[in-house]
Amino acid sequence: MSETRVKIRIGVLAIQGAFFEHRAALLKAANDLTLSKETEIEVVDVREPDELVELDGLILPGGESTTMSLFLQASNFEEVLKEWIAAKENQRVVWGTCAGLILLSNDIEGQKEGGQSKIGGIDVTTSRNFFGRQVNSFEANVSLHNKFLAEYHSNSSNGFSDGSIDDGYHGVFIRAPAVVSVNNPKVEVLATITVPQREEPVVVGVVQDNLIATAFHPELTEDARWHAYFLRQILEKINPAKN
């Protein structure tokens, strides 16, 4: 008798940002990891609170963080989303990119007057416009501090090559935030970037429990390692014995 196929349902918050690109990158990552033989992956757009039902993972894409938080407040999405994340003993995985990092941070620097709504959950302090405005957007090498991410190669038939390490990643930063303080030992630093005139590397990727956040946009590159990492985290929550 053949094994039962694992079904994963992933949502992408389709308010702003490159949600179509996230969908394509997820499917590419699934192919790289050869998940298609054992895992059925469905990716859906999410615009209403009731569309969170039955999701195993959710991506909060880039965009304007204030606009996104206002939308979440107006539709009562924010409270529903917080409850959804906390349910099932943190088995649901959420990944925020750029503005998503801001929304998932417990503390935010550079907020607009009156403060900013947030989801929270990652015990870091994030600066909203750390790298400047839209005109200061850039691309740069990102150092990876996670074994899975460093060993992953998208051009391989199974996502990995001969075990060689590639701890550099080409990051796309668009009006990007950055983590200026890690406030809990449970937070794992996944990625940093070297910035001129700063002694210490700047943190641009973190994970805490079931929450992942990056200051850059992996969906805008051909390298699917971050989406593969996200899928792997979901699989480990669903079936820890197999992973």
Side-chain angles (χ1 to χ4, degrees):
M1 182 180 295
S2 60
E3 294 185 11
T4 303
R5 285 167 57 88
V6 175
K7 293 184 179 180
I8 298 177
R9 196 164 191 261
I10 299 170
V12 181
L13 189 65
I15 301 170
Q16 289 185 319
F19 43 89
F20 176 82
E21 286 81 357
H22 272 296
R23 176 195 295 269
L26 283 169
L27 297 177
K28 183 179 189 302
N31 184 64
D32 283 350
L33 293 171
T34 62
L35 295 181
S36 57
K37 296 179 181 179
E38 59 186 29
T39 307
E40 179 181 337
I41 296 178
E42 181 184 9
V43 185
V44 298
D45 294 341
V46 174
R47 294 185 178 89
E48 302 290 342
D50 58 6
E51 292 174 334
L52 292 171
V53 178
E54 303 300 329
L55 293 183
D56 299 296
L58 178 69
I59 294 178
L60 306 175
E64 212 292 314
S65 61
T66 303
T67 301
M68 292 174 69
S69 63
L70 288 173
F71 173 87
L72 293 174
Q73 281 183 302
S75 59
N76 196 38
F77 209 142
E78 180 183 328
E79 291 305 315
V80 174
L81 184 53
K82 288 179 180 178
E83 292 175 3
W84 178 84
I85 291 173
K88 287 193 173 182
E89 298 180 346
N90 294 335
Q91 287 188 357
R92 292 155 169 167
V93 181
V94 180
W95 173 23
T97 62
C98 196
L101 164 61
I102 298 170
L103 292 174
L104 290 176
S105 298
N106 282 351
D107 297 292
I108 304 169
E109 284 187 357
Q111 298 184 57
K112 293 186 177 181
E113 186 176 350
Q116 177 174 333
S117 173
K118 63 179 183 293
I119 298 165
I122 302 181
D123 200 4
V124 296
T125 302
T126 293
S127 175
R128 285 183 74 248
N129 295 313
F130 183 88
F131 295 104
R133 297 182 178 275
Q134 190 85 8
V135 295
N136 302 117
S137 300
F138 63 98
E139 299 181 22
N141 184 71
V142 175
S143 297
L144 303 174
H145 303 274
N146 173 273
K147 186 174 185 291
F148 178 91
L149 291 167
E151 292 184 353
Y152 185 87
H153 295 263
S154 287
N155 59 358
S156 169
S157 61
N158 64 353
F160 295 88
S161 63
D162 57 1
S164 61
I165 300 297
D166 178 15
D167 62 357
Y169 173 82
H170 187 77
V172 178
F173 294 80
I174 302 174
R175 197 182 180 185
V179 173
V180 294
S181 175
V182 174
N183 307 324
N184 191 316
K186 291 184 178 181
V187 178
E188 177 189 350
V189 174
L190 299 176
T192 58
I193 185 172
T194 301
V195 177
Q197 300 179 336
R198 290 186 68 93
E199 293 184 4
E200 298 293 328
V202 176
V203 176
V204 291
V206 291
V207 61
Q208 182 176 356
D209 299 323
N210 60 323
L211 303 179
I212 308 164
T214 55
F216 47 93
H217 292 264
E219 77 279 7
L220 299 182
T221 74
E222 294 298 317
D223 191 330
R225 75 180 69 200
W226 285 93
H227 290 80
Y229 175 79
F230 174 62
L231 289 174
R232 186 67 176 270
Q233 296 292 100
I234 294 173
L235 286 170
E236 289 179 351
K237 297 289 185 183
I238 293 174
N239 191 354
K242 192 171 183 178
N243 293 281

